[in-house]
């Protein structure tokens, strides 16, 4: 008989207790996080497939929307404020509809939409259309004008979403655009970085002008120098009468400025068209902007 058993028999007889060997505590499980590269960036969601609407009366609520396609810092907020002062045009702050995305909650919901011939891209277009139509109905006007600069990057998709859309192209001297983009947040981007970043928008607008035939082009410098003449031209393009109230947009609506959704500085808040800055001299044009300056007629 082992010593442990002999001891337990004696203890049991005298005290009723026994000695037991201690059990080892189980090892604690620590969750291991997968290693993530320091410079990892989220994967860009691919553009969804979609079809053009077969019947506009069924597939779209919005009729003949107007899109201002322009680079950043090109005067698009001023133009939308002028157009919004028209009794038939509603131009809200930038809507950024291209970032409104749709996802399936389950395979069953995807199957159900497939049975309706609605892909993810089609569903997104229905959402875009509904959001913009809702905004137009609230205004009580006839046509919606949208001016988000990044729309230029998806101009083909916008045209496919609304085949009856109209496009107004707003151009400005590339150097003035870059300078304004830099001055808007000098701590965020240097002037050289502003030139390169703004150039992306300029190229997108230039591609849109080549692809979307039948649009109307206006230059910021001409708009500030002759606002009535340029607004009359836009109104004629849209098939509506010019209204003198457009020139004094501040009296029409003082609620259209939203910080972070367009230009909200004092120059816009005046409510009237202000003189633009002096055009840059040819020797002030950086090499990176010279091709675009030539393409838009600012450099011979």
């Amino acid at each position: 008989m082992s010593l442990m058993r002999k001891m337990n028999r004696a203890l049991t007889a005298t005290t009723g207790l026994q000695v037991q060997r201690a059990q080892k505590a189980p090892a604690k499980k620590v969750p291991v996080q997968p290693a993530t590269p320091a410079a990892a960036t989220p994967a860009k969601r691919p553009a969804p497939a979609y079809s053009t609407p077969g019947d506009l009366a069924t597939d779209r609520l919005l009729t003949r929307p107007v899109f201002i396609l322009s680079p950043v810092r090109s005067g698009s907020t001023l133009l939308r404020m002028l157009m919004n002062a028209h009794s038939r045009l509603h131009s809200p702050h930038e809507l950024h509809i291209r970032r409104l995305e749709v996802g399936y909650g389950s395979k069953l919901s995807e199957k159900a939409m497939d049975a309706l011939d609605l892909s993810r891209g089609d569903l997104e277009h229905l959402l875009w259309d509904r959001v913009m139509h809702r905004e137009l109905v609230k205004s009580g006007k006839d046509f919606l004008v949208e001016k988000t600069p990044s729309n230029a990057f998806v101009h083909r998709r916008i045209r496919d979403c609304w085949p009856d859309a109209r496009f107004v192209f707003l151009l400005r001297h590339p150097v003035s655009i870059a300078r304004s983009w830099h001055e808007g947040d000098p701590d965020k981007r240097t002037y050289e970085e502003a030139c390169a970043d703004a150039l992306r928008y300029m190229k997108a607008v230039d591609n849109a002008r080549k692809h979307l035939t039948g649009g109307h082009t206006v230059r910021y410098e001409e708009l500030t120098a002759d606002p009535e003449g340029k607004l009359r031209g836009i109104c004629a393009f849209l098939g509506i009468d010019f209204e003198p109230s457009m020139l004094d947009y501040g009296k029409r609506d003082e609620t259209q400025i939203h910080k972070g959704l367009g230009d909200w500085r004092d120059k816009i808040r005046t409510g009237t068209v202000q003189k633009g800055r002096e055009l840059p001299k040819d020797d002030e044009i950086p090499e990176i902007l010279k091709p675009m300056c030539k393409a838009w007629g600012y450099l011979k």
Side-chain angles (χ1 to χ4, degrees):
M1 184 180 294
S2 67
L3 178 62
M4 179 72 74
R5 290 182 65 184
K6 287 180 180 181
M7 188 168 57
N8 278 334
R9 287 185 68 177
L11 284 171
T12 301
T14 56
T15 65
L17 301 176
Q18 288 188 351
V19 176
Q20 292 184 350
R21 193 181 300 274
Q23 299 291 324
K24 287 185 178 180
K28 222 175 191 181
K29 292 185 178 179
V30 179
V32 178
Q33 298 293 336
T36 302
T41 55
K44 190 175 181 181
R45 193 178 188 186
Y50 62 85
S51 58
T52 54
D55 179 11
L56 286 180
T58 301
D59 293 332
R60 296 292 178 266
L61 296 173
L62 204 60
T63 302
R64 305 184 73 202
V66 181
F67 289 89
I68 299 172
L69 296 185
S70 67
V72 292
R73 314 305 302 181
S74 58
S76 59
T77 297
L78 171 63
L79 180 55
R80 83 155 177 92
M81 297 288 284
L82 293 167
M83 295 178 73
N84 187 67
H86 195 286
S87 63
R88 300 187 64 190
L89 302 176
H90 177 54
S91 188
H93 60 72
E94 296 173 4
L95 298 180
H96 295 271
I97 56 168
R98 67 182 287 240
R99 297 304 187 187
L100 298 180
E101 299 178 342
V102 170
Y104 298 111
S106 67
K107 287 292 184 182
L108 192 58
S109 66
E110 183 175 2
K111 183 177 180 181
M113 293 302 99
D114 284 343
L116 298 178
D117 291 327
L118 291 173
S119 67
R120 183 165 66 87
D122 295 324
L123 293 172
E124 289 178 356
H125 288 180
L126 290 175
L127 174 61
W128 296 2
D129 183 68
R130 179 67 181 93
V131 168
M132 292 177 64
H133 182 260
R134 176 180 181 272
E135 182 62 24
L136 179 63
V137 171
K138 285 168 57 181
S139 73
K141 296 186 179 183
D142 298 322
F143 302 109
L144 189 130
V145 182
E146 219 290 288
K147 69 79 137 186
T148 307
S150 62
N151 283 341
F153 294 109
V154 291
H155 63 270
R156 293 176 184 268
R157 190 173 177 188
I158 288 175
R159 190 278 319 274
D160 292 341
C161 182
W162 293 282
D164 59 349
R166 279 95 44 94
F167 297 92
V168 175
F169 302 103
L170 177 62
L171 308 184
R172 188 182 185 184
H173 196 298
V175 173
S176 298
I177 292 175
R179 285 176 176 172
S180 181
W181 193 223
H182 165 63
E183 293 164 3
D185 195 345
D187 294 330
K188 184 176 181 180
R189 60 184 74 87
T190 65
Y191 175 59
E192 291 73 20
E193 291 170 338
C195 288
D197 191 38
L199 185 59
R200 296 187 304 112
Y201 289 87
M202 298 180 214
K203 289 180 177 179
V205 172
D206 200 50
N207 290 334
R209 289 181 72 206
K210 295 172 182 176
H211 180 251
L212 302 172
T213 58
H216 181 79
T217 298
V218 61
R219 297 176 185 270
Y220 172 78
E221 296 85 3
E222 297 172 346
L223 179 65
T224 55
D226 180 20
E228 179 174 343
K230 296 309 166 186
L231 289 174
R232 284 185 179 277
I234 292 174
C235 288
F237 168 68
L238 299 178
I240 58 177
D241 294 330
F242 167 77
E243 294 179 355
S245 61
M246 299 174 74
L247 298 172
D248 201 5
Y249 63 84
K251 292 182 179 180
R252 188 77 181 187
D253 189 350
E254 297 178 350
T255 66
Q256 290 296 305
I257 300 295
H258 294 264
K259 184 176 180 179
L261 296 172
D263 190 349
W264 50 278
R265 295 179 302 176
D266 291 341
K267 196 171 184 179
I268 290 292
R269 292 179 181 273
T270 61
T272 56
V273 179
Q274 303 294 304
K275 183 180 179 181
R277 68 173 73 197
E278 295 293 328
L279 284 180
K281 298 181 175 59
D282 289 355
D283 59 5
E284 297 176 317
I285 301 176
E287 286 297 324
I288 192 175
L289 296 181
K290 284 185 178 180
M292 191 58 65
C293 288
K294 291 179 180 178
W296 286 0
Y298 290 102
L299 179 63
K300 293 182 180 179

